[in-house]
Amino acid sequence: MNSRNLISFIFLVLILGLVQILFLKNLALFGVAFCFVYLVGIQSLPLQIKHVPLLFISFGIGLLIDIFYDTLGLNALAATFMAFLRPYWLKIIKPNGGYDDSNRPTIQEMGIGWFMSYSLPLTFAFSLLFFTADQWGTGAFLGILNKSLFSSIFTVLLAIIVQLLFFKRRRGI
């Protein structure tokens, strides 16, 4: 990751974090669909990033969100778990020709079908762990599944909208 990409990544994470903290903190559609738009920052990291830095970056971003949400590490736990699963999931959904060194996991570079198959399961894993840890011991397993499913769908739809509106399109030669 060169310095220009690093600066754009930091700017992306700051903007997404501010949107998450200022606008999406108390937003819940029908009381079950929560939005975690800051996951777009973690999921849009380059494909070739090493596993350990990815875990530290995800933990740090999740911890920053936890500071403003007062969730005692739930976002850090779930974001780190999602980052742990990411390299394994990328191997599972790898295209026939493999990944290019310059590819980033965005709609503009990989296509909407690939992005959906990439982000929806990772976001669902994040949501499932987040809501399981949040409602630990209440016995509301169907409620956890309900919140996880609808929050994942809501988050991925908002991630698609964010990418279509704000990410640069790749220019052909």
Side-chain angles (χ1 to χ4, degrees):
M1 182 181 275
N2 61 22
S3 61
R4 182 176 180 204
N5 287 344
L6 181 64
I7 291 170
S8 66
F9 172 73
I10 291 171
F11 182 71
L12 173 70
V13 168
L14 285 175
I15 295 298
L16 291 174
L18 284 173
V19 168
Q20 181 74 43
I21 293 164
L22 297 176
F23 300 113
L24 301 176
K25 183 176 181 180
N26 297 318
L27 178 68
L29 294 180
F30 307 111
V32 293
F34 298 87
C35 184
F36 303 103
V37 76
Y38 73 94
L39 295 179
V40 173
I42 297 170
Q43 290 177 352
S44 67
L45 281 167
L47 296 172
Q48 282 70 30
I49 191 167
K50 301 290 184 205
H51 202 104
V52 174
L54 176 65
L55 291 173
F56 280 121
I57 290 168
S58 299
F59 178 77
I61 293 170
L63 195 60
L64 281 173
I65 299 298
D66 281 328
I67 289 170
F68 292 99
Y69 267 50
D70 296 327
T71 50
L72 299 173
L74 290 178
N75 285 290
L77 169 73
T80 306
F81 179 67
M82 184 186 74
F84 175 76
L85 293 177
R86 182 181 182 242
Y88 303 111
W89 186 245
L90 283 171
K91 285 180 185 175
I92 292 171
I93 63 168
K94 181 169 54 173
N96 290 336
Y99 296 114
D100 215 7
D101 285 343
S102 63
N103 281 354
R104 293 186 64 186
T106 61
I107 293 172
Q108 287 77 10
E109 294 199 22
M110 303 298 283
I112 194 160
W114 183 90
F115 182 78
M116 292 286 288
S117 66
Y118 162 70
S119 66
L120 195 58
L122 289 177
T123 306
F124 181 73
F126 169 90
S127 299
L128 190 63
L129 184 61
F130 181 87
F131 291 118
T132 300
D134 184 43
Q135 297 182 1
W136 187 259
T138 60
F141 183 69
L142 291 177
I144 291 171
L145 281 178
N146 191 25
K147 283 184 180 181
S148 298
L149 178 66
F150 289 112
S151 295
S152 299
I153 293 169
F154 185 38
T155 300
V156 170
L157 287 177
L158 200 59
I160 289 170
I161 291 170
V162 165
Q163 286 191 25
L164 291 176
L165 290 177
F166 300 111
F167 281 31
K168 286 194 300 187
R169 300 202 190 283
R170 192 174 205 185
R171 292 182 182 163
I173 295 176

